[in-house]
Amino acid sequence: MSFEESLTVVIPVYNRAAVVERTLDSVAAQTLRPLSVVLVDNNSTDDTARVLERWAMARRSSSLQIIVTTETTPGAAAARNCGLRLATGSVVMFFDSDDVMSPHLCSAVVDAFRADRELGIVGWDVDITRADGSMYTRRFIVDGRPVCRALIHGQMSTARYAARRSLFIEAGGWNESVGVWDDLDLGLRLLSLNPAMGRVGIRNAVTVYYSEMSITAQADSRAVSPEKEHALDCCEDTLAVSGNVCGLRWVDYRRVLLAAEYASRGDREAARRLLQKLRWAPRWVCRLLYVKHRLFSRGTYLLAPFRRI
């Protein structure tokens, strides 16, 4: 396989000794060979480092290159940047340490990039398994609204796409000042470069296990925080530079939802402060959406008059 068709999977790990082997075994089961994997321990205080080293020693081969390293700067963004620096493949996939991938995912991704050399990003659907065992699917849709889909549907979240390493580098890598929604921030910077996008349609490409201890759940538990305000500020800066007014309206929409959550938790002053930052979407629209989201949080997106733009 030529360099242009190689893939590196980067997995940051923090205190996942009890579950990370399930993820790692799904990587080892990939039909794609050769395959490179970079595991980055991010200051784990449990037995994660030993689990990673033991797994790597048992699985490492001439066709499965495994690098285990440590990033002492706290935060997933720093760990992912560390992995990006060590990645040797022309295509990079970032993956969470408690999710599972189909054995055919990596091969399908490389085949897609091989079939169309113009592609910069290739995505896939993910299955979300809730703590109660129920499941739903989040689709990766390629159309003319990638920024909207990133901001509203989380389409550029980790484990939903792979991209050319050169594209990650051109976008500036992960912003280590963004502690929450760092995938949204990077996703918009990638999209601002206008890459060609494709998708692979294999079933059960990735399964995300949602529980109180999962990475996804822990991020959601911090939904109302100054860190998310900072992430939205970074998103606004990216879209302002690229002149994407529609995207900027969706950033205001996300601020409206965050303000409504502040108010629902009794912090009306924080909600008022956040609402004062709105400057792209019509204020009457923002006020309507704010009131609606406070009364009933589901389906607010459907009322946004600019949702089809």
Side-chain angles (χ1 to χ4, degrees):
M1 184 177 293
S2 67
F3 176 78
E4 287 75 19
E5 297 162 351
S6 58
L7 173 67
T8 296
V9 179
V10 176
I11 305 178
V13 190
Y14 174 71
N15 286 353
R16 286 291 183 272
V19 298
V20 69
E21 284 191 89
R22 178 181 63 185
T23 297
L24 299 179
D25 286 345
S26 77
V27 176
Q30 292 302 298
T31 58
L32 177 69
R33 292 293 191 274
L35 177 66
S36 64
V37 184
V38 179
L39 308 176
V40 186
D41 178 48
N42 192 211
N43 298 313
S44 295
T45 57
D46 64 358
D47 206 27
T48 291
R50 189 181 68 83
V51 170
L52 297 182
E53 290 287 359
R54 183 184 64 204
W55 181 87
M57 289 183 62
R59 301 296 194 282
R60 191 178 282 122
S61 68
S62 59
S63 62
L64 184 60
Q65 177 190 8
I66 305 172
I67 298 175
V68 180
T69 189
T70 299
E71 173 55 58
T72 57
T73 302
R80 289 171 182 143
N81 277 335
C82 175
L84 181 59
R85 289 190 294 270
L86 294 173
T88 57
S90 60
V91 175
V92 177
M93 176 195 302
F94 291 97
F95 207 70
D96 287 340
S97 57
D98 50 7
D99 300 335
V100 171
M101 62 176 70
S102 160
H104 308 291
L105 176 60
C106 290
S107 180
V109 167
V110 168
D111 286 346
F113 279 106
R114 181 191 300 153
D116 187 348
R117 300 287 180 163
E118 298 301 315
L119 288 178
I121 294 173
V122 170
W124 49 83
D125 300 343
V126 295
D127 297 325
I128 312 294
T129 300
R130 301 184 181 94
D132 63 5
S134 61
M135 179 182 292
Y136 66 98
T137 300
R138 288 183 176 174
R139 306 292 182 187
F140 191 96
I141 299 174
V142 178
D143 59 10
R145 302 188 298 154
V147 170
C148 169
R149 295 200 176 280
L151 278 162
I152 306 306
H153 304 293
Q155 186 158 283
M156 297 299 290
S157 59
T158 310
R160 295 189 67 179
Y161 72 96
R164 296 200 179 273
R165 180 161 55 95
S166 58
L167 192 67
F168 282 119
I169 293 172
E170 185 178 358
W174 297 82
N175 185 345
E176 297 180 19
S177 76
V178 179
V180 181
W181 284 350
D182 53 339
D183 50 358
L184 175 59
D185 166 70
L186 174 59
L188 292 182
R189 283 186 282 116
L190 290 170
L191 295 177
S192 71
L193 299 174
N194 297 314
M197 299 176 66
R199 71 184 302 274
V200 293
I202 63 175
R203 293 175 58 85
N204 309 121
V206 169
T207 301
V208 175
Y209 291 93
Y210 194 97
S211 68
E212 290 184 1
M213 292 303 296
S214 70
I215 293 172
T216 304
Q218 289 183 355
D220 284 351
S221 69
R222 305 169 67 186
V224 180
S225 71
E227 289 182 315
K228 288 209 166 182
E229 292 186 43
H230 173 58
L232 290 177
D233 289 343
C234 291
C235 292
E236 180 180 34
D237 291 342
T238 296
L239 295 170
V241 169
S242 63
N244 191 326
V245 176
C246 179
L248 289 166
R249 291 172 181 165
W250 283 117
V251 171
D252 272 358
Y253 170 82
R254 293 298 296 262
R255 287 192 175 116
V256 166
L257 302 192
L258 194 55
E261 292 180 35
Y262 276 134
S264 68
R265 300 190 184 190
D267 195 346
R268 292 176 178 259
E269 181 56 36
R272 189 161 34 249
R273 170 179 51 77
L274 193 55
L275 289 173
Q276 289 174 349
K277 297 182 69 173
L278 305 178
R279 64 192 185 101
W280 300 102
R283 285 196 170 271
W284 71 268
V285 171
C286 292
R287 176 58 61 179
L288 173 65
L289 297 175
Y290 173 75
V291 173
K292 189 272 175 192
H293 199 72
R294 285 203 61 193
L295 295 174
F296 187 65
S297 60
R298 294 179 64 86
T300 305
Y301 155 76
L302 298 174
L303 295 181
F306 42 89
R307 71 185 182 93
R308 295 191 179 277
I309 300 177

